[in-house]
């Protein structure tokens, strides 16, 4: 009789352990599903953030190129203006020299 009772207790413990194992497996499965969903959500958010950063980087690159082009254009204009000033200065000096020569001729003719 004692052996029968021990066998029944052992079987009850085994059944309880089996039920606990089933419940634990369900919980583990649920946690895995949650983790997978969170991972996929994070991955999606990271992908979106990367795309936004790449877009911002591309926009900044285009702006930088536009500023560089504008700067080059302004440098070219400054160079052209300097050349024009030098040319005007040379013409003015030439005109002044011709004016001096004419004044000398006029003085000499009197």
């Amino acid at each position: 009789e004692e052996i029968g009772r021990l066998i029944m207790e052992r079987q009850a413990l085994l059944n309880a352990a089996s039920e606990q194992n089933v419940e634990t497996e369900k919980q583990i499965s649920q946690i895995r599903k949650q983790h997978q969903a969170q991972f996929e959500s994070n991955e999606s958010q990271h992908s979106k953030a990367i795309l936004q950063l790449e877009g911002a980087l591309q926009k900044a690159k285009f702006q930088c190129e536009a500023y560089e082009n504008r700067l080059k254009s302004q440098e070219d204009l400054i160079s052209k203006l300097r050349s024009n000033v030098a040319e005007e200065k040379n013409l003015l000096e030439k005109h002044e020299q011709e004016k001096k020569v004419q004044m000398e001729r006029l003085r000499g003719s009197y």
Side-chain angles (χ1 to χ4, degrees):
E1 191 173 301
E2 182 68 22
I3 293 175
R5 187 180 63 77
L6 289 174
I7 290 174
M8 288 182 68
E9 281 181 19
R10 180 178 176 270
Q11 190 59 43
L13 287 172
L14 285 174
N15 287 343
S18 178
E19 287 177 18
Q20 185 63 43
N21 282 345
V22 168
E23 188 60 35
T24 301
E25 286 296 325
K26 286 180 184 176
Q27 290 174 352
I28 289 171
S29 177
Q30 185 63 29
I31 290 169
R32 282 187 178 141
K33 287 177 186 175
Q34 290 171 352
H35 284 194
Q36 183 64 30
Q38 186 63 45
F39 174 79
E40 289 172 1
S41 173
N42 289 347
E43 192 173 40
S44 174
Q45 289 173 357
H46 291 162
S47 294
K48 288 177 185 175
I50 287 170
L51 288 175
Q52 288 175 342
L53 289 172
E54 287 174 344
L57 181 62
Q58 193 66 28
K59 183 179 178 183
K61 182 180 174 185
F62 288 145
Q63 286 177 337
C64 187
E65 288 174 357
Y67 290 139
E68 286 174 348
N69 290 339
R70 197 176 311 155
L71 180 61
K72 175 76 170 107
S73 176
Q74 289 173 350
E75 288 172 346
D76 291 346
L77 181 60
I78 288 170
S79 177
K80 187 174 182 180
L81 289 172
R82 283 184 177 154
S83 176
N84 287 349
V85 166
E87 188 177 329
E88 287 290 326
K89 184 177 176 184
N90 287 341
L91 287 173
L92 186 59
E93 288 173 358
K94 185 177 177 184
H95 179 72
E96 287 295 322
Q97 197 62 29
E98 289 175 1
K99 189 175 171 183
K100 284 180 184 178
V101 168
Q102 287 178 356
M103 291 297 280
E104 289 299 320
R105 285 184 188 155
L106 284 174
R107 285 188 190 136
S109 65
Y110 285 113

